[in-house]
Amino acid sequence: MVQEYGLFIDGKWRKSEGKRFETRNPATGEVLATFPLATKDELGGAAHAAKGAFEKWRKTTAPRRGEILLEAARIFRRKKEELGRVVTTEMGKVIAEGRGDVQEVIDFYEYAAGEGRRMFGETVPSELPNKMCLTVRMPVGPVGLITPWNFPMAIPAWKSGAALIAGCPFVLKPSSLTPLCAAKLVEVLDEAGFPPGVVNLLTGSGSVVGDGLVAHPDLRVISFTGGVDTGRHVYETAAKKMIKVGLELGGKNPIIAMDDANLELLMDGVMFGAFGTAGQRCTASSRLIVHQKIYDQVVDDLAKRAEKLRVGNPIDEKTDMGPVASADQEKKVLEYIEIGRKEGDTLITGGKKLAGGVYDKGFFIAPTVFAVDRRKRLALEEIFGPVLSVLKAKDFDDAVAIANSVKYGLSSSIYTNDLRWAFRAMQELEAGITYVNAPTIGAEVQLPFGGVKETGPTDTREAGTTALDEFTYWKTIYVDYSGRLQRAQIDTAKLTGG
Ligand code: UN1
């Protein structure tokens, strides 16, 4: 029996008037559950519920909001194995990473819960006597969260955890490839005890639900993670509505390998960074920029290492890399492999769809490495799959120039044992994140996560305390207890003799 889910609106799972769609295991083709394509009216209902819950939720103290969030973290902890398996069966990342996705939920909900007892503002001295000045965070209102399939629990948790602790009810619209993960997350939030209307889930199409959320007059922030084209559309629509947006868009993240790098360490990092999650992370190490002195050796090692990766069903503990997430993803990645061939890039290994046995049931692509010229499309465009582009650099400056030549700027990395290169890379790489002697993936929740250039035009950062910036505004408060009119700038001048 395939479970049929409804929509979660105003504290209840509800039947939908909309048509239904299936969610499938990308490794086996098995149908896991069905979900509704929410209608415009249902969207209106969810936004209305979130708006209705705002007054009460904002007045619930932040420590109390944190307690409920901590309870959600506890439930996640208890169900980690079960939910990790849901991530792996619905999205296709290997089981260790499926568990990691859930761990990231636990980590962030715990962290955000603690923020409920901090959420620091500032006190600032006044220029006038008997007057106090301070800043406090205020929740913006009900918000819309639009999330991708690659971290199907972690990203909804980053956004929902920050919104909830800030005091903002939300409507979540997950990717149609991973609605089950989102439904499981919402079930936990419901069990943890959030009041009706604070948590709402709508599944459905980008055109009805996604666009509908962005345009809805009651939603005061849209937080979106996904591709640049959709991000641009969200940005434009939100600008017309004059609301705040958080955008977390693509990446073409470089690892720079200097000639003094520890090659063993480098190779371990590249395999994890490029082929972890089958390359389907915004942070994936999709470019390896190698100093010319070690280039031939690195290319040699890469082929050997990539060919050793065990590709298969991600639920099997021994599998190193699972399938890509959908037929569309598979098509897109294979098209890029074709583009590489046509543009004359040198295929070092992989470059094909895997066939036979278990491979015939899912979307399996061989770990692929191309040697690429810096002006070619494979060197510049995000592929979002297990395809690594290797580029040759003359020296450090050339490597940084190549690294910075793309329109994205999420994550970046350098492998070197020379402090000078490490510190210069920290300064010169145009990216929201720089790693030294580690690949471009693996961000921790207590630090800001986000990018520059077309990755992050809104300059918002998820995770860390910066996550609150998306869902709060700063209020400045002046308390004058002098008992008389005091005029800033005017009486001040008298006092200081200015
Ligand atoms: C993403 O790919 O959008 O740093 C998020 C990482 C993960 C999060 C990635 N912790 O790779």
Side-chain angles (χ1 to χ4, degrees):
M1 253 294 275
V2 170
Q3 195 170 350
E4 293 185 2
Y5 278 83
L7 304 168
F8 191 77
I9 300 172
D10 207 11
K12 285 205 169 60
W13 288 97
R14 294 168 199 276
K15 278 213 164 69
S16 163
E17 300 291 309
K19 293 202 180 84
R20 303 192 69 81
F21 67 98
E22 296 170 339
T23 175
R24 289 170 182 265
N25 182 332
T28 64
E30 178 201 358
V31 176
L32 302 171
T34 71
F35 283 85
L37 292 163
T39 64
K40 240 182 131 180
D41 281 354
E42 290 160 347
L43 179 139
H48 185 74
K51 189 183 180 193
F54 179 55
E55 264 322 293
K56 218 172 138 195
W57 188 236
R58 69 183 294 184
K59 287 178 184 158
T60 304
T61 63
R64 173 67 192 136
R65 298 197 292 255
E67 271 170 26
I68 310 176
L69 203 51
L70 193 58
E71 180 56 20
R74 282 198 200 102
I75 300 169
F76 263 103
R77 211 177 260 290
R78 208 168 59 228
K79 294 188 169 171
K80 181 174 169 183
E81 185 57 29
E82 176 199 331
L83 296 177
R85 287 177 170 266
V86 174
V87 171
T88 289
T89 45
E90 192 181 34
M91 182 273 161
K93 60 176 70 178
V94 292
I95 183 65
E97 294 181 0
R99 292 183 190 116
D101 213 293
V102 178
Q103 187 59 46
E104 207 158 336
V105 179
I106 299 167
D107 293 345
F108 189 65
Y109 278 179
E110 285 181 351
Y111 178 81
E115 240 348 271
R117 289 191 183 269
R118 285 185 296 266
M119 232 183 269
F120 299 135
E122 292 182 312
T123 58
V124 182
S126 171
E127 62 186 46
L128 292 157
N130 295 322
K131 187 174 170 190
M132 188 171 204
C133 314
L134 56 141
T135 61
V136 291
R137 287 189 185 273
M138 305 290 283
V140 286
V143 300
L145 314 176
I146 305 175
T147 55
W149 45 263
N150 67 332
F151 277 81
M153 285 199 198
I155 293 179
W158 288 359
K159 294 187 193 299
S160 61
L164 288 169
I165 200 66
C168 303
F170 69 82
V171 182
L172 167 65
K173 185 240 176 278
S175 159
S176 294
L177 290 181
T178 52
L180 184 57
C181 288
K184 294 281 175 194
L185 180 120
V186 164
E187 280 174 357
V188 173
L189 294 176
D190 183 31
E191 190 183 333
F194 287 98
V198 171
V199 172
N200 302 279
L201 173 73
L202 294 178
T203 51
S205 70
S207 55
V208 175
V209 184
D211 280 355
L213 287 180
V214 183
H216 199 284
D218 289 340
L219 300 178
R220 305 314 304 157
V221 170
I222 295 295
S223 182
F224 171 80
T225 299
V228 168
D229 291 339
T230 317
R232 194 183 312 275
H233 174 62
V234 170
Y235 206 10
E236 284 168 359
T237 317
K240 289 200 190 93
K241 217 174 98 184
M242 299 288 268
I243 59 159
K244 184 142 94 170
V245 242
L247 297 175
E248 209 59 79
L249 310 176
K252 187 72 180 176
N253 314 288
I255 291 180
I256 294 179
M258 291 302 292
D259 52 345
D260 67 310
N262 174 335
L263 287 189
E264 218 21 62
L265 186 67
L266 170 73
M267 232 23 89
D268 288 348
V270 172
M271 287 303 119
F272 182 49
F275 302 120
T277 328
Q280 302 166 111
R281 296 195 192 206
C282 309
T283 51
S285 311
S286 47
R287 292 183 294 157
L288 177 59
I289 304 170
V290 187
H291 192 289
Q292 55 177 349
K293 278 200 195 140
I294 55 164
Y295 181 83
D296 289 344
Q297 164 89 58
V298 166
V299 166
D300 238 38
D301 290 356
L302 273 175
K304 284 190 207 126
R305 291 288 299 263
E307 279 155 25
K308 274 204 202 117
L309 292 175
R310 287 162 303 199
V311 183
N313 192 325
I315 206 76
D316 180 345
E317 305 275 352
K318 288 196 221 61
T319 299
D320 295 314
M321 194 180 96
V324 294
S326 67
D328 282 352
Q329 273 305 111
E330 181 182 83
K331 186 162 163 266
K332 183 179 157 204
V333 175
L334 293 174
E335 272 167 20
Y336 266 106
I337 290 172
E338 220 19 65
I339 290 168
R341 285 215 176 84
K342 282 207 187 102
E343 289 201 337
D345 302 327
T346 311
L347 182 67
I348 292 167
T349 185
K352 58 175 189 294
K353 177 173 165 51
L354 294 169
V358 288
Y359 294 144
D360 289 339
K361 291 197 180 135
F363 311 114
F364 294 94
I365 296 176
T368 298
V369 181
F370 272 103
V372 174
D373 180 274
R374 65 187 71 187
R375 281 169 292 271
K376 298 290 178 57
R377 287 182 65 187
L378 261 54
L380 300 169
E381 296 175 23
E382 182 178 51
I383 300 172
F384 224 67
V387 180
L388 171 69
S389 302
V390 189
L391 297 110
K392 194 193 283 187
K394 286 197 276 297
D395 53 21
F396 175 83
D397 287 315
D398 192 34
V400 170
I402 297 172
N404 290 344
S405 66
V406 298
K407 66 180 183 180
Y408 298 106
L410 180 55
S411 189
S412 58
S413 144
I414 183 164
Y415 278 76
T416 181
N417 285 315
D418 189 323
L419 272 179
R420 289 172 306 166
W421 303 138
F423 275 84
R424 280 196 54 197
M426 293 177 221
Q427 294 282 339
E428 292 173 35
L429 288 171
E430 291 169 2
I433 306 170
T434 296
Y435 290 88
V436 178
N437 289 331
T440 55
I441 68 174
E444 301 178 29
V445 302
Q446 67 280 23
L447 289 116
F449 180 93
V452 297
K453 296 157 94 175
E454 288 193 22
T455 299
T458 51
D459 198 34
T460 37
R461 292 288 180 272
E462 300 195 274
T465 49
T466 43
L468 292 170
D469 295 339
E470 240 180 286
F471 302 105
T472 57
Y473 62 88
W474 284 109
K475 172 171 282 190
T476 304
I477 300 176
Y478 297 98
V479 185
D480 190 323
Y481 51 96
S482 69
R484 61 196 164 89
L485 173 67
Q486 300 197 90
R487 297 169 303 172
Q489 290 88 42
I490 298 168
D491 299 338
T492 319
K494 240 192 280 167
L495 284 170
T496 57

